[in-house]
Amino acid sequence: MARAAVSGGLNRRLTWHAARLAEVVEETPSARTLVFDVPDWPGHLPGQHVDVRLTAEDGYSTQRSYSIATPADGTRVALTVQRVDDGEVSPYLTETLVPGDVIELRGPVGGWFVWRAADPAPVLLIAGGSGIVPLMAMIRARREAGSRALFRLIYSVRTPEDRFYADELRTRARDDMGLDVGYVYTRQAPEGWPAAPRRLSVADVNNGGWPPDFQPSCFVCGPTAFVETVADILVALGHDPRRVKTERFGPTGS
Amino acid sequence: MDLFSDDYTDGNTLAGPLRELFTVDMTGAVGRCVHCGGEGPVAGMKVYAQAPGLVARCPSCQEVLMRLVRGPSDAWLDLRGTMSLRIPMPPE
């Protein structure tokens, strides 16, 4: 029996697309945002990611997953990539690739670690290092959709220089009504910061987050050990494990 | 292998590779472990990528739930440790 094809959406076969680098934004000394132009991009939800494939002239190819940093915007797909010194893909993306170059990309993929603008529940975002990327897509999408869901972000970084999107987050914390932004510095805090550098603690999550009674949606993204610790803290504080969504990207520094 | 190192990611990594095989997103599918009976989303599985292919382990008991190897002309999906997968589906 013939069935009408579902346009776009989930039933589209996942294929590799040519993605042309259109724009580069330096975020930190070791991270940059790459804005690709991907013809026929079907759109995406905040929190989704893409697989990037690089192929060498000898045919060797390798792929990595990167979170999308912005809400859907036509054919534009923005990734913020942190350079990993002994990495195979990130040095190429952060140092070699220049506007006009073409790589292969497929997606969007992932339907679990996503925030939907129609969801009115309060949201707690906890980022470790470059784990901020998919959470930033949610923060940006919230404003764009005119959502009034209450958002709190706790962002753990090594030093002030390691913060992604620092200026934008400062502006948004002032202008995006209902968005709170808090930082935890693990190696070096800014001048005059009230706390010495330290790891994210139960007190940070308890004070900077929402009470479990509010039934917030929690999104935690970062290095594996960070995510394990934060997820354990949230559950110990009484959050429903089903409302704690996590995304791990491996050992610290990878 | 040290199962308690942090040298793993999670089932979000499987989103792309599984979308090659399935027409719907599988990261939100809820799997049940053959070994311990634990239930959880595919996204929450512990995924080790150092092996040839991807090995997903149960976050509760650490046993292997599934393995996925993509060759040039075939994909091998071994679901030995997965009793069932409950897959969210749009209405027919």
Side-chain angles (χ1 to χ4, degrees):
Chain A
M1 194 178 79
R3 293 178 81 179
V6 177
S7 67
L10 288 169
N11 290 321
R12 188 178 47 88
R13 180 168 148 67
L14 188 68
T15 52
W16 293 98
H17 295 269
R20 184 176 298 276
L21 184 61
E23 195 188 326
V24 172
V25 182
E26 303 296 333
E27 301 288 355
T28 74
S30 60
R32 62 182 192 168
T33 294
L34 307 168
V35 185
F36 291 97
D37 189 44
V38 189
D40 304 325
W41 184 249
H44 59 267
L45 295 168
Q48 287 193 296
H49 56 269
V50 296
D51 293 340
V52 167
R53 180 166 73 179
L54 301 178
T55 305
E57 280 176 23
D58 65 5
Y60 170 75
S61 94
T62 185
Q63 67 188 60
R64 293 287 184 282
S65 255
Y66 291 101
S67 290
I68 305 172
T70 52
D73 174 22
T75 60
R76 290 294 169 105
V77 178
L79 314 177
T80 306
V81 179
Q82 171 75 48
R83 180 169 49 79
V84 181
D85 287 331
D86 56 354
E88 203 176 26
V89 171
S90 67
Y92 179 80
L93 294 178
T94 53
E95 288 166 1
T96 310
L97 203 66
V98 294
D101 287 351
V102 174
I103 60 162
E104 284 183 296
L105 177 156
R106 72 178 181 189
V109 293
W112 184 74
F113 193 84
V114 299
W115 177 72
R116 288 179 167 81
D119 186 350
V123 172
L124 173 59
L125 308 172
I126 304 184
S130 51
I132 186 68
V133 178
L135 310 185
M136 192 66 183
M138 297 176 190
I139 289 171
R140 288 166 164 163
R142 170 184 182 272
R143 175 67 181 264
E144 209 173 275
S147 162
R148 294 171 74 179
L150 296 172
F151 267 43
R152 284 185 170 175
L153 168 67
I154 303 173
Y155 185 5
S156 168
V157 278
R158 288 176 178 171
T159 75
E161 289 71 41
D162 290 309
R163 290 176 302 177
F164 290 7
Y165 324 121
D167 292 342
E168 183 180 340
L169 281 170
R170 191 178 306 117
T171 309
R172 286 183 181 276
R174 189 189 65 205
D175 299 343
D176 290 14
M177 298 287 284
L179 168 68
D180 288 337
V181 177
Y183 290 93
V184 172
Y185 296 95
T186 60
R187 297 256 176 101
Q188 181 211 319
E191 199 76 13
W193 191 255
R198 56 178 169 72
R199 299 259 174 214
L200 188 83
S201 68
V202 175
D204 294 313
V205 178
N206 196 29
N207 300 334
W210 300 108
D213 294 356
F214 287 23
Q215 299 190 297
S217 302
C218 304
F219 294 91
V220 185
C221 186
T224 296
F226 174 87
V227 171
E228 297 294 351
T229 303
V230 174
D232 287 348
I233 290 174
L234 286 166
V235 172
L237 287 172
H239 291 271
D240 180 348
R242 286 168 302 185
R243 300 191 72 88
V244 177
K245 296 195 170 181
T246 48
E247 186 159 271
R248 303 159 178 83
F249 53 67
T252 311
S254 85
Chain B
M1 180 172 55
D2 176 9
L3 295 179
F4 301 100
S5 77
D6 64 352
D7 207 8
Y8 58 89
T9 61
D10 59 37
N12 294 295
T13 313
L14 298 173
L18 287 176
R19 265 293 270 115
E20 279 197 285
L21 315 180
F22 295 91
T23 59
V24 293
D25 172 61
M26 293 296 286
T27 58
V30 175
R32 181 183 284 273
C33 175
V34 164
H35 309 280
C36 72
E39 264 194 347
V42 169
M45 294 176 180
K46 298 170 78 168
V47 173
Y48 295 82
Q50 303 88 335
L54 299 159
V55 178
R57 288 178 176 271
C58 175
S60 303
C61 74
Q62 322 295 331
E63 291 290 342
V64 174
L65 292 170
M66 64 169 89
R67 299 186 301 171
L68 175 60
V69 178
R70 177 70 155 92
S73 59
D74 302 275
W76 285 86
L77 179 61
D78 166 354
L79 289 165
R80 63 174 63 191
T82 303
M83 189 183 299
S84 61
L85 284 169
R86 192 175 77 239
I87 304 161
M89 298 286 285
E92 272 195 281

